[in-house]
Amino acid sequence: MSDDEHPDEPRADGGAEQPDGGTLVGGDSLPLDAPSGHESEDHGLPPLYSIRRWFVTTNHKDIGILYTVTALFFLIFGGVLALLMRAELWAPGADIMQANGYNQAVSAHGLIMVFWFLSPFAFGFANYVVPLQIGAKDLAFPRLNALSYWLYLASGVLMGISFFQGGTFAGGWTMYAPLNMPVYTPEVGGSTAVLALLLFVVGVTVGSVNFLTTIHRMRAEGMTLRRMPLFTWSILLTVWMMLFAFAALLAALMLLSSDRLLGTTYFASTSPGGSMLWAHLFWFFGHPEVYIVFFPALGAMAEIFQTFCGRRIVGRKWFIGAMVLVAIQSFIVWMHHMFLTGINLEIQTLFMVTTIGISLPFDLMVFALIYTMLKGKIRFTTPFLFAFGGLMLFILGGITGVFLGAVVLDYTFRGTYWVVAHFHYVMVGGVTGLIGGLYYWFPKMTGRMYDEFLGKVNFALYFVGFNLLYFPMFIAWETPRRVFNYAPGLTSWHQVATIGGFILGASFLVMFYNLFKSLFDGEPVDGNPWEYASTAEWAIPSPPPLENFPGIPSYADGKLTFESADAAGSSGGSGAAAADGGAATDGGVVTATPGGELTGTETDHGHEESHASIWPLVIGAGSLILLFGLSGMQDGSFVPGVEGGIYIGNAIVGTIILVGACIAMARESFHGPAGPFGESWPFAGVSNMKLGVWLYLASDVVLFGAFIGAFVFSRVAYGWTEWHHLIPAEHVVLPGLINTYILLTSSFAVVLALVASEKGSRLGVVGSLVTTFVLGIAFLVNKGLEWQHLFHVHSEAFPQGWDLSTNIASTTFYVTTGLHGLHVVVGLIIALYMIVRAWNGAYLDDEMPIEYFGLYWHFVDIVWLFLFPLFYIL
């Protein structure tokens, strides 16, 4: 019997698959018509109808809804800009907007759609569905989940503010150097847009760490990686790509912010290789971003195909393997975006091969979806129509993309509307699949069914509008990108595209009307409205109760069952098994009352699990105010006059709010999901917190790697030995050597603190942490004295001193070591907080917080061991 005929994926309804893909319901699974839970102001969480709930909630389902609604707002924002562009392109020339206005519309449309709509829209579903699919009560770190949303919203608000600061960024959504420098985009709003994107990336990193920890550590027993639903697989691979790709973008944005705010010279036209440096950093992120955007859509499409074809995906294991292969390959194709930059033919050929090679796993996935349709019995519902439409659009987008992977053809098509058309067939093709996901999970999220007729009208308008908008761009491919002038002979094709754009916009109005109307008047849905849905979210009420499941989910018997904690703990290796493989802890019991209400849970510490915290919102607000204040900086100082005073005041207030909120959140009594958890391979012996720290440090490796890579790239471009002429003789080895000894000693002090904690010595813990803190201060003081000395060097070669903007050598030295110094400052704040707690007796019965801090501090020390020889010896 083939893999497809003998599924290893557990069925959410606890049944076995029929030959036609159907389900035989059986076992002890929760009935699909189980009553929904009543949510009141329990667990510190206000009821759904309360506005306050949406400001304080940390529940993954609420956060998923917030992400979805906010992303749809940014769809409207970016869509309006797109319609303005299409109206401008009705005829050649700037007839509606001025040239700079058009450039702003193009740039902001790209940035908003790629960053503030596409990925957050997908992660609205991920937040809502993934914990349900893997049998988790919530994400591993609920407050960090809320924080990632509020940082996302704050970044979007900051992006909106940029339009009112003399104009937003106008250098294209790829922000190519040197157009990203103030000399070409001098508006304060340009800097605000860069800072908004930086804040967005910070939120993405927080979310990535959270999802990776959750999926790897909190799956129900029997829910092995091999058995995970395809949507969860797509999210797992997406967040792995996000963890590393967005770290590279974060580095690029920090370097760009340094240039725009502090006057450094990474991407200045006078710096050797500045334009190429940006291209490498941006596209190392940019090409994985294509798959970061498309993978969640692919996972949603796979779930929809399975449900509405009545059978599981053909070649499921190969489908998963193909996704894994694409995720890995996505990091070795970035240079095909740079074929016209003068890189040698051998490198071009290598990246042409990797680019064409990455299309092969996609071929496998496309054929798997096609064969699933051929072997199943299709039900043409609205979700399936959008999923099928997304597949067809992606096929065309993928084929046209292979053209661009060939060096010779890329020479012709690069910079034309061929790229625009290909890009939108892929990216907006992914949106098509996600809209199918919105219709698919709408009953689960709301407990109401959408209007099927309006859904099909929505699809018809969408599909017609989409192809009328983007397909003419292939024909009018000679139109230059990001330019409002084009050959008059192409006018008719652009007019067709403009008509298509407005039809596409109208389709979204139908969608919004349908969903809003159905939210109140739709047919009630209690459990599973889809006959062949096979994942766990459909085995519980719609919408799910606060705690998700009436007990501990388990797939130990090959079907989904729910067990009480006591029963699971006594079953000898069931779903209540402790994460470390030891005895099960008392994770609490969830029972269904006769009225269908689910009672609360008690954690293993006797505390009710928390679902509300105001501090993620406050941190997001503080970050917004702080970065708005910093946007008023130019060349290291704030703009003059009253306006500058406003920016300074906001920076100060934002800093106070941010620091205070972080401390308050650290001191807050908040009890997240407690065990027992089930499957945790390959991290079974690692706690959630430790895995989270490891994942954060992994992204930090890429961040520092990008900074160090920028130094090496700039030095090679200038000349490795000639570089020494850019450095004053006063830049000596001794200060760096002293700091090396200081940091190594401080790491040893952290080890002593851990030993003292294990021995129960309060004074030993306090003394060791104080030693670490004092040595960290000494490091910063020594570094500050060195910088002060170098700033005021007066020699024939450097009559104005050697500061951040003197040359590319000074820029790389100060910014890279400054980033490291910032990490030291963060470590000292944590150490000071821990000293206060240790003095009050903390950490004597739990040394793990000291170990987590030690991981961070040792990493900071190891980074310095790389920076010292690079900047002081070589």
Side-chain angles (χ1 to χ4, degrees), residues 12 124 129 141 169 198 226 256 266 315-316 341 366 370 388 397 407 415 469 584 587 617 623 650 695 742 746 769:
V129 173
F141 310 112
F169 187 81
L198 190 151
R226 182 169 172 263
L256 179 57
Y266 274 104
R316 183 179 186 275
T341 59
V366 167
I370 292 173
F388 180 60
V407 176
L469 171 59
L617 166 62
S623 302
N650 275 276
L695 292 168
I742 289 175
S746 70
L769 290 176

Side-chain angles (χ1 to χ4, degrees), residues 785-799:
L785 292 174
E786 180 192 19
W787 281 20
Q788 181 73 8
H789 175 64
L790 293 174
F791 280 164
H792 297 89
V793 165
H794 295 292
S795 62
E796 183 178 348
F798 304 100

Side-chain angles (χ1 to χ4, degrees), residues 347-515:
I347 297 295
Q348 289 180 341
T349 303
L350 173 63
F351 278 84
M352 180 176 69
V353 171
T354 59
T355 300
I356 295 175
I358 204 171
S359 68
L360 299 180
F362 271 113
D363 295 341
L364 189 152
M365 289 185 276
V366 167
F367 281 115
L369 293 173
I370 292 173
Y371 276 108
T372 300
M373 289 190 291
L374 293 176
K375 292 189 174 185
K377 183 179 180 181
I378 300 175
R379 294 155 184 83
F380 288 97
T381 61
T382 299
F384 179 81
L385 288 173
F386 274 100
F388 180 60
L391 176 63
M392 290 194 294
L393 298 175
F394 177 74
I395 290 173
L396 183 56
I399 291 172
T400 54
V402 174
F403 283 59
L404 297 171
V407 176
V408 176
L409 291 175
D410 187 71
Y411 271 60
T412 301
F413 289 132
R414 181 64 58 188
T416 71
Y417 261 46
W418 183 278
V419 178
V420 178
H422 152 71
F423 181 80
H424 284 84
Y425 263 88
V426 173
M427 302 291 271
V428 188
V431 174
T432 311
L434 290 174
I435 294 173
L438 179 61
Y439 277 107
Y440 180 62
W441 282 303
F442 180 81
K444 175 54 56 180
M445 293 179 171
T446 65
R448 299 277 183 172
M449 179 57 71
Y450 61 85
D451 186 303
E452 185 67 44
F453 173 75
L454 287 178
K456 290 179 177 177
V457 171
N458 178 196
F459 172 74
L461 287 173
Y462 180 96
F463 200 73
V464 171
F466 183 105
N467 287 286
L468 281 178
L469 171 59
Y470 297 121
F471 194 81
M473 296 181 186
F474 286 122
I475 302 173
W477 67 269
E478 292 176 296
T479 306
R481 297 173 67 187
R482 308 188 187 100
V483 176
F484 47 76
N485 273 317
Y486 53 85
L490 303 175
T491 301
S492 59
W493 292 113
H494 279 284
Q495 291 178 347
V496 171
T498 297
I499 293 171
F502 280 88
I503 294 175
L504 182 62
S507 75
F508 284 106
L509 295 180
V510 174
M511 182 188 79
F512 288 131
Y513 173 75
N514 185 3
L515 298 183

Side-chain angles (χ1 to χ4, degrees), residues 43 137 547 549 587-591 598-603 606-609 611:
H43 320 280
K137 289 183 179 180
E547 299 286 353
F549 304 105
V589 182
V590 186
T591 57
L598 299 184
T599 67
T601 61
E602 296 289 320
T603 71
H607 298 291
E608 191 176 78
E609 290 182 6
H611 295 280

